[in-house]
Amino acid sequence: MKKSCKNFVLAATSAAILAGVAGSAQAANWLFLQGTERPGAAPRAKVWGFIQPEYQSTVDTKLKAGPWKGQKAVFNQSRPQLKTSSSFNVLRARIGVRGVAMPLDSNVNYFFLAEFGNNGITAGGGGAVKLTDASVTFNHMKGARIRIGQFKTPGSEEGLQAIHVFDYINFSNATNGLLLERFFNSDGSTQVGANKPNGSVSAFRDIGIQMFETFKVNNWEHSYAIMVGNGNGINRNDNNDNKELYAYWSSELVYGGKGPRRQGMKLFAWYQDGQRTLAAGPSQTVQNFDRMRSGLGFTYRKGKHRAAAEYINADGMIFTGTDGAALPGAVSNNGALTASWNMATKGKADGWYVHYGFAPTPKWEIDFRYDVYNRLTNSTLGERKFDTATLGLQYFFNKKTRVTINYEFRNADAPGYAGSSPVNQILDSLDDRVSFNVLAIF
Amino acid sequence: MKQIISRIMAVMLAVGLFAGMTQQAAAEKAFAEKKIVLQISDPNPFKQTLVLNVANNLIKYYGMDRVEIEIVAFGPGLRLLFEENANASRIQGLVDSGVRLSACKNTIRNMGKKLGHPPALNKNAVKVSAGIVRIIELIDKGYVLVKP
């Protein structure tokens, strides 16, 4: 906890310095958009939601080397079942209610959202419908609003932003690998079973309590959030006594507009720290392991131009995919091994992305993103580098309905090995990916 | 000396008369061609936006000196005149253009019972004994009632 406090102070100081030096800001205030309602002008219950069918495809290149050579590669399969390389899917289908329970009292508002789609939230077992958000916000203390329940944690822009305004179909590699947390009972170091996730992915959410506020100074909005959560995913209670600590700061120069597509420029920094409990090592001893994430970045939106960049740093537990990049549960060609999901319990990683979008007309938007993820930078032989260039096209039928097409040029390599090594041959099996989805908000 | 005192009194009288005329002009526009009372009594927040839009459009069309507008809020619609209302800056803009705001005392009293205290109102709102009575009074004075 001492370490957590020290790190928190460092992060908060860094954020404060950054905010003081930078002088820019964001395109949308997610803390307020998701956690509050318009005072005196909010309904008792507003029903809303969105539907997001998609199609994803790769050419399904088989593993080129290793114990599972010739078998399906996990990274070429469609989420979340990983059984085919091309599939239609209703990725997200959410419906929710939000508002002020008593319209006369704007000091208390609520947010409720459930997921009916087929994704990492619902595919983890326990039912086809899962709660994603259920929170109550108390606005009595200006300067220290309180939100309690299950909701998005104050952190990375890619995770914190409303998913229905996300410009791409898949997350960047670093966000997917480091922030979209999977929870396991074991680190997967023993070859017993597939070591499948023990529940939903985090969906960038946690259960806990958050203090937050936005301070307006002329055209600037300065926001902070501090949160304490379980750090054990959604729809279940904690599995250890260590709580997750989150800190967030943003400063935004607002150009105009309102809502999630408000025009502005934002600088932000965030930090989270906690521990995870799982069985690790040859003896599979249950232990606690540190998990720290931090990041900083900016977003920009004005007129026809949109841009964003973010750097993400990780220390502690790192999700490392499956053995030999085979499907989880797949038996090796010699019958001796079973591929499982793995976690490095003490690792380091970092990554970043840059994004630029141009909307020549209100109907069309062209997007480009380049992202890099360096996994296990503390290990010469364990390090993997993923980089992806994504070309995107969006067509807006109206403000609530759009179609998105993405083509991802994907590449991965192991810098600690020769290019011709089996490890790099396996990584060479990674295909480009084409995908499209439709989004309808109601 | 008497002459100086009488001159000072004359100036003071003139200033007083002018000030009185100015106040009267603010309350009733001398050149107003149209008089509109906008009723808001609906709980739907979208109606708030609609009422403000209508007031704004009337001012744009007729000009702020040619139209008199009073927004009368009662029932659930009184939330529009809450001090904390998210539309406060828009409301202030309309007030600056001469729009008057009336808040129903009956509603304030009833809301006060539910809240445990009277709701804090927009500083420009004038309390009237009953919103519906105020509307009838204005209609009798030649106002046209519009309920967006």
Side-chain angles (χ1 to χ4, degrees), chain A residues 196-259:
Chain A
K196 291 182 177 175
N198 59 20
S200 302
V201 296
S202 69
F204 312 110
R205 290 164 169 84
D206 198 356
I207 306 169
I209 185 167
Q210 173 183 268
M211 184 167 71
F212 68 105
E213 186 56 283
T214 289
F215 303 96
K216 295 183 181 179
V217 183
N218 299 321
N219 292 332
W220 287 84
E221 285 189 4
H222 304 287
S223 304
Y224 82 90
I226 296 170
M227 178 180 175
V228 176
N230 286 338
N232 191 39
I234 56 176
N235 298 323
R236 58 188 182 189
N237 57 9
D238 208 348
N239 66 341
N240 61 35
D241 292 332
N242 300 298
K243 294 292 170 276
E244 194 87 355
L245 179 67
Y246 303 85
Y248 176 88
W249 178 274
S250 72
S251 289
E252 170 182 6
L253 176 59
V254 180
Y255 297 136
K258 60 182 180 180

Side-chain angles (χ1 to χ4, degrees), chain A residues 38-43 103-104 106, chain B residues 45 48 79 84-87 111 115:
Chain A
R38 300 178 75 220
L104 295 184
S106 295
Chain B
Q48 296 185 7
R79 288 205 297 157
E84 64 184 7
N85 189 285
N87 298 300
M111 285 184 172
L115 283 170

Side-chain angles (χ1 to χ4, degrees), chain A residues 155-227:
Chain A
S156 165
E157 180 73 11
E158 250 192 326
L160 183 58
Q161 70 180 178
I163 195 65
H164 56 270
V165 297
F166 184 44
D167 288 319
Y168 298 91
I169 296 171
N170 293 296
F171 295 115
S172 66
N173 285 300
T175 297
N176 182 49
L178 295 175
L179 306 180
L180 188 60
E181 188 173 0
R182 287 83 164 167
F183 298 90
F184 298 95
N185 293 326
S186 163
D187 66 349
S189 57
T190 58
Q191 292 294 326
V192 181
N195 189 33
K196 291 182 177 175
N198 59 20
S200 302
V201 296
S202 69
F204 312 110
R205 290 164 169 84
D206 198 356
I207 306 169
I209 185 167
Q210 173 183 268
M211 184 167 71
F212 68 105
E213 186 56 283
T214 289
F215 303 96
K216 295 183 181 179
V217 183
N218 299 321
N219 292 332
W220 287 84
E221 285 189 4
H222 304 287
S223 304
Y224 82 90
I226 296 170
M227 178 180 175

Side-chain angles (χ1 to χ4, degrees), chain B residues 2-24:
Chain B
K2 279 184 181 176
Q3 201 175 11
I4 294 171
I5 291 171
S6 63
R7 279 180 183 174
I8 290 171
M9 287 181 70
V11 169
M12 287 174 68
L13 186 62
V15 169
L17 280 174
F18 180 74
M21 284 169 65
T22 309
Q23 279 181 343
Q24 197 173 3

Side-chain angles (χ1 to χ4, degrees), chain A residues 113-415:
Chain A
L113 190 63
E115 173 68 275
F116 289 72
N118 176 37
N119 56 37
I121 297 173
T122 53
V129 179
K130 289 283 177 63
L131 194 67
T132 63
D133 300 83
S135 71
V136 179
T137 302
F138 298 94
N139 302 288
H140 299 81
M141 289 186 293
K142 305 307 177 196
R145 295 170 198 261
I146 301 294
R147 189 180 186 191
I148 185 165
Q150 177 172 300
F151 49 91
K152 281 196 167 184
T153 58
S156 165
E157 180 73 11
E158 250 192 326
L160 183 58
Q161 70 180 178
I163 195 65
H164 56 270
V165 297
F166 184 44
D167 288 319
Y168 298 91
I169 296 171
N170 293 296
F171 295 115
S172 66
N173 285 300
T175 297
N176 182 49
L178 295 175
L179 306 180
L180 188 60
E181 188 173 0
R182 287 83 164 167
F183 298 90
F184 298 95
N185 293 326
S186 163
D187 66 349
S189 57
T190 58
Q191 292 294 326
V192 181
N195 189 33
K196 291 182 177 175
N198 59 20
S200 302
V201 296
S202 69
F204 312 110
R205 290 164 169 84
D206 198 356
I207 306 169
I209 185 167
Q210 173 183 268
M211 184 167 71
F212 68 105
E213 186 56 283
T214 289
F215 303 96
K216 295 183 181 179
V217 183
N218 299 321
N219 292 332
W220 287 84
E221 285 189 4
H222 304 287
S223 304
Y224 82 90
I226 296 170
M227 178 180 175
V228 176
N230 286 338
N232 191 39
I234 56 176
N235 298 323
R236 58 188 182 189
N237 57 9
D238 208 348
N239 66 341
N240 61 35
D241 292 332
N242 300 298
K243 294 292 170 276
E244 194 87 355
L245 179 67
Y246 303 85
Y248 176 88
W249 178 274
S250 72
S251 289
E252 170 182 6
L253 176 59
V254 180
Y255 297 136
K258 60 182 180 180
R261 296 187 187 278
R262 184 171 72 180
Q263 301 197 44
M265 188 166 66
K266 170 177 76 177
L267 261 183
F268 60 90
W270 54 272
Y271 171 85
Q272 75 174 84
D273 194 6
Q275 290 190 332
R276 301 290 180 270
T277 302
L278 77 170
S283 60
Q284 288 292 283
T285 309
V286 176
Q287 303 168 61
N288 289 336
F289 296 97
D290 291 331
R291 182 181 182 278
M292 187 282 292
R293 304 287 187 267
S294 61
L296 55 87
F298 83 95
T299 66
Y300 173 84
R301 185 182 187 90
K302 190 174 186 182
K304 297 178 177 179
H305 304 277
R306 304 93 172 84
E310 184 168 4
Y311 172 78
I312 298 164
N313 183 48
D315 194 353
M317 295 197 56
I318 310 285
F319 173 62
T320 54
T322 59
D323 299 303
L327 297 183
V331 178
S332 62
N333 296 334
N334 64 6
L337 303 170
T338 301
S340 70
W341 292 111
N342 297 294
M343 298 287 290
T345 51
K346 295 177 181 176
K348 291 182 186 296
D350 61 19
W352 52 271
Y353 64 82
V354 291
H355 151 68
Y356 173 73
F358 178 68
T361 74
K363 293 281 187 186
W364 292 95
E365 181 172 326
I366 303 161
D367 296 294
F368 173 75
R369 183 181 68 193
Y370 182 70
D371 71 88
V372 172
Y373 173 32
N374 301 307
R375 193 174 77 190
L376 291 187
T377 53
N378 57 312
S379 166
T380 304
L381 297 182
E383 185 175 2
R384 303 287 182 270
K385 181 178 179 182
F386 301 85
D387 62 275
T388 299
T390 306
L391 290 177
L393 183 67
Q394 298 184 75
Y395 178 78
F396 294 82
F397 296 97
N398 53 49
K399 284 187 174 179
K400 302 272 186 177
T401 311
R402 68 180 157 126
V403 59
T404 304
I405 302 169
N406 279 180
Y407 188 90
E408 294 165 86
F409 299 90
R410 301 195 298 171
N411 182 55
D413 63 84

